[in-house]
Amino acid sequence: MAFPPARHIAVALLLCAPHMLVAQRGGNGAADSIKYKYTSTPQLEALKAEAAREIDAKAKMIQVMVDQVFSYGELGFQEIETSRYLTGLLEENGFKVERGVGGLPTAFVARWGSGKPVISLGSDIDDIPQAGQKPGVGYKDTFIAGSPGHGEGHNSGMPLNIAAAIVVKKIMERDHIPGTLVLWPGVAEELMSGKAWLVRAGVFKDVDITLFTHVDSDFGVSWGQSSSNALISAIFKFKGSSAHAAGAPWRGKSALDAVMLMATSWEFQREHMPLAQRSHYVIPDGGDQPNVVPSTASIWFYFRQTDYEKTLAMFEDAKVKANAAALMTGVVVDTVMMVGSGWSGHFSRPIAEAMYENIKKVGMPAWSDKDQQLAKGIQRELGVPDSGMVSRNVGRLNGPIPDNQRTGGGSDDIGDVAWTVPTVTLRYPSNIPNMPGHNWANAISMATPIAHKGVVAGAKAQVMTMLDILLTPQIVTDAWDYFTNVQTKTIKYRPFFAPTDKPPIWLNEATMAKYRPEMKKYYYDSKKYDTYLQQLGIEYPTVRKIVP
């Protein structure tokens, strides 16, 4: 296909005259100041406007992708249908796909293009146990009791990235813009056991910049040290000996006793631990039945602290408590297995500032009365302020969290990627404010117009930022300068996992085997139904009536 000469000239100017896209440095590094100001050109702005229109034209495709992945509802390491569906879409659109990357059966890397810059796009795809929920219904209404579901909204991020990549790929092909696009999924993020394996497998060894996406109720991006904690996930297994719990209990050695003593010792220690720590556990194996002294038992911990050293120290302390509990009960520590890990995130200032300008251009979606009704309905249901969806301009650009203000919180293994290559996380508005997180309520919006509009808005910011990176070489230069001379000047990444460790791909296998046969009955059929709501026969929105 022939292009107008003006098009060739414009792109040639963009590619061959980087001085037209100058980085103007200023500011004092405060969170609300912009240090890296990139002067654009009319030609680049025209490409951004075109890309945004192309995203609007793909709104239907986005809706189908979001709804389809929502309907699969797969837990970490078991994202079989999700991975198959997404890789199929990517191959249909000209990407070369490598599957099973890093020893993760559901992980993949999709590539297109050649040369520099290499831009990687990632987002998580797993969901939450017992979070199955019908979309568009403002109260608890599950498909199958106890089934998993997208109670965080991880069904939306890869559709955003795929739509953005297809649009930018089209522009790159037409205008002969060099560069490589790399797409990958965050497998088992809720288990914090995906991205470290991808880093170890070398997925990011040639990447210049990573643009990660994560669902939220706001629309923004941050730079610098985040508020997230580093994390180690570990299972401690104890082995004793069984006996008749009534007839000859003195002949048994209870592994469950050791588990309970370890847990109790950890509870007593909480009073003396720094505020920023977060630690929690479940007991996957507490024995078989009450009349048999448990010969095996296990306890599964998440240890969280602000950095690598402090988190590792928690893990080492837990080993001491495990051995002490075993000694007190006459059993042995059979296995100590690290099954997940992640660094606290530190994100690139130059990329974040460039992305923030694009977020401001896009602005928050226009929420309909029905969107607001759904949001207020579930907010009332949960007893939180019924403020509805955020109908305002995007907020400020957030900077680093000072060390003395880091009081703990959640984790995301994007930190391992962010300490390997300059990275930012785009937060896009597809969820309802004031939800509890990791809960069925967070799934309510995730196959509705709220999610669809939020993904469209996020995809626009993503394509604009990708074009900035492709056509503004100084962004990549600045990103690596910040990465080398600021972020990693005194801190160097090293994985929590040992070189001999392998991904625990057996996790969640039994749960999905239990629920998947029934869940298949609810998979979205986009050839037969316009939306997933239509397939389910749900009137949007369905909320409880307000009683005067």
Side-chain angles (χ1 to χ4, degrees):
M1 178 178 179
F3 303 120
R7 171 75 62 187
H8 286 303
I9 293 171
V11 174
L13 287 170
L14 287 167
L15 293 174
C16 300
H19 64 277
M20 297 176 66
L21 300 158
V22 179
Q24 299 177 345
R25 294 171 179 78
N28 58 11
D32 58 353
S33 66
I34 301 295
K35 181 179 180 181
Y36 300 90
K37 297 180 180 179
Y38 299 99
T39 303
S40 188
T41 65
Q43 293 88 351
L44 177 54
E45 292 305 309
L47 286 177
K48 288 185 180 182
E50 176 190 353
R53 290 192 299 271
E54 287 289 326
I55 291 295
D56 280 330
K58 293 196 178 299
K60 177 59 182 176
M61 178 187 182
I62 287 170
Q63 172 257 307
V64 170
M65 287 191 290
V66 169
D67 288 4
Q68 192 72 59
V69 179
F70 181 93
S71 74
Y72 293 142
E74 295 174 303
L75 293 167
F77 289 127
Q78 310 304 320
E79 312 99 333
I80 298 168
E81 299 288 355
T82 300
S83 182
R84 181 185 296 121
Y85 172 69
L86 296 177
T87 54
L89 284 174
L90 286 162
E91 287 178 327
E92 288 172 10
N93 284 278
F95 286 79
K96 183 178 179 180
V97 175
E98 178 186 0
R99 295 173 172 83
V101 177
L104 307 172
T106 55
F108 61 84
V109 174
R111 287 179 172 267
W112 177 87
S114 62
K116 294 286 191 174
V118 179
I119 304 172
S120 98
L121 309 176
S123 198
D124 303 322
I125 59 172
D126 59 329
D127 69 2
I128 304 292
Q130 299 191 48
Q133 169 67 23
K134 293 179 182 176
V137 180
Y139 46 82
K140 178 67 172 174
D141 188 10
T142 188
F143 298 94
I144 306 158
S147 65
H150 276 288
E152 177 144 340
H154 285 176
N155 60 301
S156 55
M158 283 307 292
L160 186 160
N161 286 338
I162 290 172
I166 291 171
V167 166
V168 172
K169 172 179 175 287
K170 178 180 177 182
I171 292 173
M172 291 173 70
E173 285 179 313
R174 181 194 67 196
D175 293 349
H176 308 293
I177 300 173
T180 305
L181 305 181
V182 180
L183 288 88
W184 52 273
V187 167
E189 188 275 336
E190 301 301 347
L191 299 172
M192 290 290 288
S193 193
K195 301 180 187 71
W197 307 113
L198 298 183
V199 170
R200 188 169 79 176
V203 170
F204 305 97
K205 66 180 183 298
D206 65 341
V207 168
D208 292 298
I209 284 174
T210 289
L211 303 179
F212 191 68
T213 62
H214 197 283
V215 64
D216 211 306
S217 59
D218 74 344
F219 196 8
V221 65
S222 304
W223 64 271
Q225 176 58 55
S226 71
S227 61
S228 68
N229 275 352
L231 177 147
I232 289 175
S233 167
I235 298 174
F236 298 79
K237 295 183 177 181
F238 296 86
K239 188 173 183 179
S241 57
S242 65
H244 194 298
W250 51 85
R251 298 188 64 178
K253 301 293 184 182
S254 174
L256 179 60
D257 287 351
V259 161
M260 295 177 69
L261 279 172
M262 182 183 179
T264 300
S265 68
W266 196 265
E267 295 301 340
F268 276 109
Q269 180 164 309
R270 285 186 192 275
E271 178 185 357
H272 310 288
M273 299 176 77
L275 180 62
Q277 78 84 24
R278 295 290 189 275
S279 50
H280 16 264
Y281 54 83
V282 295
I283 300 175
D285 176 12
D288 298 305
Q289 59 191 54
N291 67 330
V292 179
V293 174
S295 60
T296 63
S298 64
I299 185 168
W300 183 4
F301 273 89
Y302 274 18
F303 306 106
R304 307 181 198 244
Q305 248 290 4
T306 54
D307 58 30
Y308 176 93
E309 288 79 9
K310 293 173 184 175
T311 307
L312 190 61
M314 290 176 71
F315 181 43
E316 294 300 324
D317 187 38
K319 291 179 184 178
V320 172
K321 287 177 167 53
N323 285 318
L327 185 64
M328 285 188 286
T329 55
V331 303
V332 297
V333 178
D334 182 61
T335 306
V336 178
M337 181 187 307
M338 187 186 297
V339 293
S341 72
W343 274 55
S344 173
H346 186 123
F347 300 107
S348 174
R349 183 171 188 174
I351 309 169
E353 291 185 347
M355 177 174 278
Y356 181 62
E357 295 303 313
N358 293 319
I359 290 171
K360 290 194 294 185
K361 285 186 177 75
V362 176
M364 290 291 286
W367 308 116
S368 70
D369 289 343
K370 291 184 177 182
D371 299 334
Q372 296 288 8
Q373 288 171 26
L374 179 63
K376 292 180 179 182
I378 184 57
Q379 288 166 346
R380 288 193 299 268
E381 185 78 9
L382 298 180
V384 298
D386 59 345
S387 54
M389 298 300 296
V390 178
S391 295
R392 57 172 173 79
N393 293 328
V394 298
R396 59 178 284 182
L397 174 69
N398 293 321
I401 306 296
D403 285 343
N404 62 0
Q405 295 179 23
R406 295 186 65 194
T407 56
S411 310
D412 191 318
D413 54 356
I414 188 59
D416 290 72
V417 179
W419 284 96
T420 304
V421 61
T423 299
V424 296
T425 295
L426 168 65
R427 304 185 306 273
Y428 56 94
S430 285
N431 217 306
I432 295 170
N434 300 323
M435 296 295 100
H438 290 185
N439 185 272
W440 57 268
N442 289 74
I444 284 170
S445 68
M446 293 313 304
T448 73
I450 292 174
H452 306 147
K453 292 173 188 177
V455 172
V456 167
K460 289 179 181 179
Q462 190 82 309
V463 294
M464 291 179 182
T465 306
M466 293 167 71
L467 289 170
D468 279 334
I469 295 165
L470 288 167
L471 299 171
T472 312
Q474 191 65 45
I475 295 178
V476 176
T477 300
D478 289 343
W480 278 98
D481 178 72
Y482 179 89
F483 183 83
T484 303
N485 297 312
V486 178
Q487 179 180 343
T488 64
K489 185 176 182 179
T490 60
I491 301 174
K492 305 299 179 184
Y493 172 76
R494 52 210 187 275
F496 284 110
F497 283 120
T500 54
D501 287 338
K502 295 182 179 180
I505 59 175
W506 44 268
L507 286 171
N508 290 325
E509 188 174 28
T511 303
M512 285 306 303
K514 175 181 177 181
Y515 289 107
R516 194 187 297 276
E518 284 299 308
M519 291 173 67
K520 285 182 177 181
K521 299 175 183 178
Y522 296 95
Y523 286 175
Y524 176 40
D525 185 352
S526 62
K527 293 182 174 62
K528 188 173 180 180
Y529 298 97
D530 189 42
T531 67
Y532 194 41
L533 290 174
Q534 182 188 67
Q535 177 173 326
L536 297 174
I538 295 172
E539 181 180 353
Y540 181 73
T542 297
V543 297
R544 296 193 197 278
K545 294 181 180 180
I546 300 176
V547 179

